[in-house]
Amino acid sequence: KVKIPCILEDLSQFPIEDYNENKELVYIGSRYERDDVIDDYIKPYAEKRPGKVHFYGNWRDYPDKLADAEKRWPGVVFNKRVTTKDFHDIYRDAVAVPLLGKREYFKHGFEVARIFESVMFGSVAVGFDEMDVDNTTWHIRNVNDLFRAVDFLKNGYREKCRELQIERLEQNDVKYFVDEIEKVLNRWKY
């Protein structure tokens, strides 16, 4: 597994804020090879809680693909593409951020950067049980787990779960990363 390095202390630079009732799940990213994951986890969630799932990305840039997405995933609100300067405004009051990715990523333990973005800007990432990743506090097996996780977070546990995620990202800290590289280099010296 390849760990994405970060500066651990930077992940808590923005305080967690009260959540927006209409932003239960927020995803910043595009559609690329994620349809089956969206079908399995997000579609049934959005059908029961329409308007509470927001996707940001290039969804609106392609009218034919947007029409298909809106038909395929009713209840999801498709927003425009954003830049990193918008991330805080989007994540800060979101209940949770699903770590959507290609199933190929899940199988090989590829870490997506969404976990760092969501935690740093004041939300909580929710991972899926099929992901081979160990640094989230949530491993969602099905849509019922997703409902339970969001409801749990809404009941006052967002801040604690965010703190736990930051702790679990300790091995992603740049210092840890550099120390590991130095260990490898030192073994090669002789």
Side-chain angles (χ1 to χ4, degrees):
K1 293 182 195 179
V2 175
K3 299 276 188 188
I4 299 172
C6 68
I7 299 172
L8 198 63
E9 63 190 38
D10 284 356
L11 295 181
S12 57
Q13 66 182 292
F14 294 99
I16 201 158
E17 298 181 20
D18 291 339
Y19 66 86
N20 178 334
E21 186 66 43
N22 291 315
K23 286 170 64 178
E24 291 185 358
L25 295 175
V26 169
Y27 170 71
I28 298 176
S30 297
R31 184 174 181 173
Y32 311 116
E33 298 179 52
R34 289 159 173 78
D35 287 8
D36 55 339
V37 176
I38 296 169
D39 285 341
D40 290 349
Y41 297 101
I42 304 301
K43 180 180 181 175
Y45 189 97
E47 286 173 346
K48 293 207 174 171
R49 294 186 180 173
K52 296 188 183 277
V53 177
H54 292 261
F55 284 4
Y56 294 81
N58 67 357
W59 302 87
R60 303 196 76 72
D61 294 350
Y62 306 98
D64 55 328
K65 291 180 181 178
L66 175 62
D68 174 61
E70 289 175 329
K71 183 178 177 185
R72 186 170 182 166
W73 302 304
V76 174
V77 178
F78 295 95
N79 299 283
K80 65 181 178 149
R81 183 185 295 219
V82 295
T83 64
T84 52
K85 71 178 179 57
D86 303 307
F87 283 15
H88 181 252
D89 286 337
I90 293 167
Y91 284 136
R92 69 185 172 85
D93 59 354
V95 176
V97 176
L99 299 178
L100 300 178
K102 302 176 188 182
R103 282 231 154 82
E104 195 68 17
Y105 290 175
F106 293 174
K107 188 169 49 174
H108 296 289
F110 180 80
E111 205 166 57
V112 295
R114 301 294 174 269
I115 190 168
F116 306 103
E117 296 167 4
S118 62
V119 170
M120 182 166 73
F121 292 118
S123 194
V124 176
V126 291
F128 303 104
D129 201 40
E130 63 186 286
M131 299 170 87
D132 187 17
V133 188
D134 55 6
N135 53 13
T136 66
T137 51
W138 296 99
H139 289 272
I140 305 300
R141 291 181 310 252
N142 54 47
V143 72
N144 292 326
D145 281 357
L146 188 55
F147 283 116
R148 281 191 290 276
V150 169
D151 291 342
F152 180 81
L153 292 167
K154 287 170 65 175
N155 283 320
Y157 295 98
R158 283 172 66 237
E159 187 166 2
K160 183 63 178 167
C161 287
R162 179 180 180 227
E163 290 169 10
L164 286 170
Q165 284 186 333
I166 291 170
E167 285 175 25
R168 289 182 176 194
L169 290 166
E170 182 178 38
Q171 289 188 347
N172 293 73
D173 188 61
V174 168
K175 181 180 177 347
Y176 180 87
F177 185 76
V178 170
D179 289 348
E180 290 300 303
I181 290 173
E182 286 179 349
K183 284 179 193 174
V184 170
L185 292 175
N186 286 333
R187 279 185 272 180
W188 287 354
K189 276 185 178 178
Y190 303 103

